[in-house]
Amino acid sequence: MSNDDPKRARVRLNLDAGIASPKNEIITVPKPLARLKTFYNNFSAWARWLTGSTTYRNTLLLTITINLIFTAINTSQDINQEYGFVFEGIDIAFLVVYTSEFLLKLIAAPRGYWSSNYNIFDLVILAFSYAQLVVPDSAQNSILIRLFSAIRSLRALRFISLFSQLQILVGALVKTIGSIFYVITLLLVMLFVGSVLGYQLYGGNPDPSNPFSSVPLAMYNLFDFLTADSWTDTQDNMDLLFGETSRIYTSIFVFLGHFMYENLLAGLIIQFLTEADEREKAAIRKKKIEAVEKKKQFILERQKQDMAALMETQQQIMKDAPQQSFAQILGRLAGKLNHNIIVPSSDLACNQTWLELFMATLEHQVHTMYRTQQLHFEMSNAMAEVLERRLRSKVDKT
């Protein structure tokens, strides 16, 4: 290692602290600032490990579940009047837990925290919870307090941020909003056409119970056919007013509106669910590939460091004892090497290219020996046949 290596090491430390000049000048780092930065880095790494652990997620899941149970119990007016102060203290305790979660996630990933919509949603719910504590409890603010309490009940949706499958489902539903708009437009057009057709066919009956006495009322009753909810009552009324021939009209609209429309909507949701699942799998594969690449880079960097340290040791030994034999040099290295260290050497026997050529030569040698052995077998068989023929000829002459 050269003489300026300590200087480079000091400059590298300064660069890690973020206080190196463009000319790589050595700048003295204040010890309190360096200690604070080291403490922050260690605490941030600990926060990342904690927030990513399964135990932390299960604990948070249990906390949210208990919070929802207490929120449901607090809806009872009798219990709230008698133990209201207890529920207020419990709510403050839960608020402290959610605040600590927010701080830990923010310290673990200051930039990555804001890239997640679920984290922003949790922060909004947390802000409304604090707003409820700030707003004074009075008759004038009763509506505002009730609104904050209702928004606070949305904490149940925090379950989504704890399960990846729920995130996939919600993402797929959000993606379907654009397509559902066109499906709803098609539905309204179909309802309008069906209601106008029903009004023209059955609207002439002045009976007050006529479901097609007007276009808006006809659309309302056709929506019952679409959802298949209590549509039989409407059909019984139509049988009394218009006869059983009205069932043809009802059957056509139920088939077009109920079966085809619901299947179309279900198909869209399934399509977006499949696409969301594929995106999630691709993201998981990408993370695995990145983790493998990081591990490879770490191993390569570690090997380079070990190689540099070993080369430095060898150079120092050769410099101190240039007249020593190779056995003596190995004796000095004894006890300093292990099976994980790659030993660099310029000897022919340790050259990778030479070893590959040597192995190929051995394979050719084995192949040649096998062919020679086969040739000897063939020669032995031929000589045995010649000897056998001679013996037979002598026997025949006698």
Side-chain angles (χ1 to χ4, degrees):
M1 188 175 290
S2 59
N3 296 328
D4 59 342
D5 286 339
K7 180 179 178 180
R8 293 181 180 177
R10 289 194 297 272
V11 172
R12 184 164 57 252
L13 289 175
N14 291 329
L15 285 173
D16 293 338
I19 317 177
S21 64
K23 297 182 180 180
N24 289 334
E25 298 176 353
I26 301 175
I27 302 175
T28 304
V29 181
K31 290 184 178 180
L33 183 60
R35 292 177 180 175
L36 181 61
K37 182 176 179 60
T38 303
F39 173 78
Y40 175 78
N41 291 334
N42 294 334
F43 187 77
S44 178
W46 176 80
R48 284 193 296 272
W49 168 81
L50 180 63
T51 55
S53 63
T54 305
T55 305
Y56 177 81
R57 189 185 67 175
N58 293 336
T59 304
L60 188 60
L61 180 63
L62 180 62
T63 303
I64 296 173
T65 304
I66 296 174
N67 187 12
L68 294 179
I69 293 174
F70 276 105
T71 302
I73 296 174
N74 195 23
T75 55
S76 175
Q77 295 183 358
D78 297 335
I79 297 177
N80 190 16
Q81 290 177 359
E82 187 174 357
Y83 303 100
F85 64 96
V86 177
F87 285 99
E88 289 179 0
I90 294 174
D91 188 68
I92 293 175
F94 284 120
L95 189 59
V96 171
V97 173
Y98 296 140
T99 305
S100 63
E101 178 206 4
F102 161 69
L103 294 176
L104 285 174
K105 287 185 177 180
L106 188 63
I107 294 174
R111 296 183 180 178
Y113 180 87
W114 305 104
S115 61
S116 175
N117 294 328
Y118 298 102
N119 291 337
I120 296 176
F121 175 77
D122 294 342
L123 181 59
V124 171
I125 300 300
L126 185 64
F128 276 107
S129 300
Y130 275 105
Q132 185 179 4
L133 295 177
V134 174
V135 175
D137 190 3
S138 61
Q140 297 177 353
N141 299 325
S142 59
I143 298 178
L144 189 60
I145 292 175
R146 288 180 176 272
L147 177 62
F148 288 158
S149 299
I151 294 175
R152 192 178 59 181
S153 64
L154 296 177
R155 288 177 181 174
L157 298 178
R158 289 170 56 87
F159 280 104
I160 299 174
S161 61
L162 300 177
F163 298 96
S164 58
Q165 295 299 325
L166 287 179
Q167 294 178 12
I168 294 174
L169 180 61
V170 173
L173 293 177
V174 172
K175 292 288 185 180
T176 56
I177 292 177
S179 300
I180 288 177
F181 172 77
Y182 296 103
V183 174
I184 292 176
T185 302
L186 178 62
L187 170 65
L188 293 177
V189 171
M190 185 170 57
L191 285 175
F192 179 76
V193 172
S195 61
V196 171
L197 181 61
Y199 176 77
Q200 295 296 332
L201 292 176
Y202 310 113
N205 193 329
D207 194 299
S209 62
N210 184 5
F212 295 97
S213 58
S214 64
V215 173
L217 184 61
M219 292 182 67
Y220 176 79
N221 287 281
L222 288 180
F223 189 78
D224 289 340
F225 292 159
L226 178 67
T227 58
D229 182 24
S230 302
W231 67 275
T232 54
D233 297 336
T234 305
Q235 182 58 45
D236 292 339
N237 188 22
M238 292 177 63
D239 290 341
L240 294 176
L241 294 176
F242 316 118
E244 295 184 355
T245 55
S246 62
R247 296 182 179 181
I248 300 175
Y249 170 82
T250 303
S251 301
I252 293 174
F253 193 84
V254 168
F255 175 77
L256 294 177
H258 180 65
F259 293 102
M260 293 187 63
Y261 175 76
E262 287 195 356
N263 290 333
L264 177 62
L265 186 60
L268 285 174
I269 295 176
I270 292 173
Q271 177 185 354
F272 283 104
L273 277 175
T274 305
E275 293 177 356
D277 187 58
E278 291 295 330
R279 286 194 298 268
E280 182 69 17
K281 290 181 180 178
I284 293 174
R285 287 194 297 267
K286 184 178 179 181
K287 289 182 179 179
K288 289 183 178 180
I289 293 173
E290 290 178 354
V292 172
E293 291 297 329
K294 288 182 179 179
K295 189 174 182 180
K296 288 182 179 178
Q297 293 297 328
F298 174 77
I299 294 174
L300 290 176
E301 191 66 26
R302 183 68 178 271
Q303 288 180 350
K304 288 180 181 179
Q305 294 175 1
D306 294 342
M307 183 74 71
L310 190 58
M311 289 294 294
E312 181 184 0
T313 304
Q314 284 188 346
Q315 291 176 4
Q316 187 67 28
I317 292 174
M318 295 302 294
K319 185 187 297 184
D320 295 341
Q323 302 300 328
Q324 290 182 355
S325 62
F326 187 71
Q328 293 174 339
I329 293 175
L330 289 179
R332 293 192 60 179
L333 287 175
K336 299 180 180 180
L337 303 178
N338 55 54
H339 64 280
N340 293 324
I341 295 179
I342 301 175
V343 180
S345 177
S346 58
D347 296 338
L348 182 64
C350 295
N351 186 276
Q352 184 179 359
T353 305
W354 184 87
L355 289 174
E356 292 177 354
L357 291 175
F358 181 69
M359 294 298 295
T361 304
L362 289 179
E363 291 180 0
H364 287 297
Q365 185 179 358
V366 172
H367 181 70
T368 303
M369 184 176 63
Y370 173 76
R371 298 292 297 175
T372 305
Q373 185 180 12
Q374 294 295 323
L375 182 59
H376 280 287
F377 288 156
E378 292 178 2
M379 292 173 61
S380 300
N381 292 332
M383 293 176 65
E385 289 180 1
V386 171
L387 180 61
E388 186 178 0
R389 288 176 184 176
R390 288 182 180 181
L391 292 175
R392 285 182 179 178
S393 62
K394 287 181 181 183
V395 172
D396 293 340
K397 288 181 182 180
T398 57

